[in-house]
Amino acid sequence: EADIYQTPRYLVIGTGKKITLECSQTMGHDKMYWYQQDPGMELHLIHYSYGVNSTEKGDLSSESTVSRIRTEHFPLTLESARPSHTSQYLCASSWLGELFFGEGSRLTVL
Amino acid sequence: GENVEQHPSTLSVQEGDSAVIKCTYSDSASNYFPWYKQELGKRPQLIIDIRSNVGEKKDQRIAVTLNKTAKHFSLHITETQPEDSAVYFCAASSTQGAQKLVFGQGTRLTINP
């Protein structure tokens, strides 16, 4: 089924650990995005990509990095996690302006 | 860049009544205005959108109006039901250039039985 998948759904890690949040979509969309959202709160764009080998920083400064080596895959990496990174991270792809969101990865850094 | 303001931040209405959520945007180049609904613990999902070539769009109990001159757009939900309880986000973007969707702050809508 065409969808956008995120793993892990939940992650609890210690300060200083490196983590990668995975995002894959099977819809063939060129445009992909990462949003950071505290539960029920505003959606902040942290990274976006318009295609393979294209990545840009979003409106909210983030210490994370992204890569886009394949159309369907848009992983987000934190080299050294801190408690301030505790949040939910939503991946999305878009077609004709409409965003399709994944179910999110809820990260807790102790 | 684009800035979207959304009001109110919380809204509580009686079941069966209407709810209205309002947004303003700053960039006159924006021409696409979607509304997303996010239920508790779920992902945001598009419920209705409007493009700048129309002033109003309706889909069953929900409607969106757009005033490009005033840079306002609003979501109207009639005959509200308990399943309408959620956080609603407006957004704006241009279909030219960067095409980044900028979201409002969200409105938590509660339908009281």
Side-chain angles (χ1 to χ4, degrees):
Chain A
E1 179 182 339
D3 204 345
I4 182 162
Y5 302 95
Q6 289 187 242
T7 58
R9 293 288 315 282
Y10 303 92
L11 181 62
V12 181
I13 60 170
T15 297
K17 298 292 186 183
K18 177 180 178 179
I19 63 116
T20 295
L21 304 180
E22 301 287 349
C23 176
S24 294
Q25 50 101 359
T26 58
M27 296 176 282
H29 294 164
D30 286 327
K31 297 182 178 70
M32 295 189 74
Y33 309 82
W34 277 102
Y35 286 87
Q36 185 175 341
Q37 183 191 35
D38 292 325
M41 303 295 285
E42 192 170 353
L43 290 148
H44 296 285
L45 180 66
I46 52 174
H47 297 283
Y48 60 100
S49 168
Y50 289 156
V52 171
N53 294 325
S54 153
T55 61
E56 300 287 344
K57 287 191 177 294
D59 302 320
L60 181 69
S61 175
S62 174
E63 293 164 341
S64 57
T65 59
V66 292
S67 63
R68 189 87 183 276
I69 299 172
R70 304 197 315 267
T71 298
E72 62 272 21
H73 195 213
F74 191 39
L76 180 146
T77 298
L78 273 167
E79 290 293 333
S80 180
R82 295 206 300 269
S84 60
H85 296 138
T86 294
S87 189
Q88 175 166 252
Y89 295 84
L90 286 163
C91 182
S93 66
S94 74
W95 178 251
L96 297 179
E98 179 179 353
L99 283 177
F100 299 86
F101 286 92
E103 292 188 285
S105 292
R106 191 177 297 280
L107 173 65
T108 301
V109 183
L110 303 177
Chain B
E2 177 65 274
N3 182 50
V4 178
E5 297 288 332
Q6 182 172 347
H7 299 281
S9 57
T10 61
L11 180 60
S12 182
V13 301
Q14 290 298 121
E15 183 177 352
D17 288 351
S18 296
V20 180
I21 302 170
K22 298 182 179 183
C23 289
T24 60
Y25 62 98
S26 61
D27 189 351
S28 56
S30 290
N31 56 6
Y32 175 63
F33 307 94
W35 286 87
Y36 285 78
K37 175 184 181 182
Q38 187 176 27
E39 297 178 24
L40 188 63
K42 301 284 184 65
R43 64 181 106 179
Q45 291 195 305
L46 179 73
I47 55 171
I48 195 167
D49 58 11
I50 191 168
R51 297 182 189 271
S52 60
N53 56 345
V54 297
E56 184 173 359
K57 185 176 178 181
K58 190 173 181 180
D59 182 4
Q60 299 183 341
R61 295 187 298 108
I62 60 173
V64 57
T65 58
L66 171 65
N67 182 330
K68 283 221 72 177
T69 303
K71 299 198 186 90
H72 289 172
F73 58 113
S74 301
L75 177 72
H76 304 253
I77 306 174
T78 59
E79 300 171 21
T80 53
Q81 300 169 4
E83 55 264 36
D84 295 329
S85 293
V87 179
Y88 291 81
F89 293 95
C90 64
S93 76
S94 169
T95 54
Q96 305 298 321
Q99 300 180 36
K100 291 188 297 179
L101 203 56
V102 178
F103 285 89
Q105 296 83 356
T107 296
R108 184 176 302 277
L109 175 63
T110 302
I111 308 301
N112 301 308

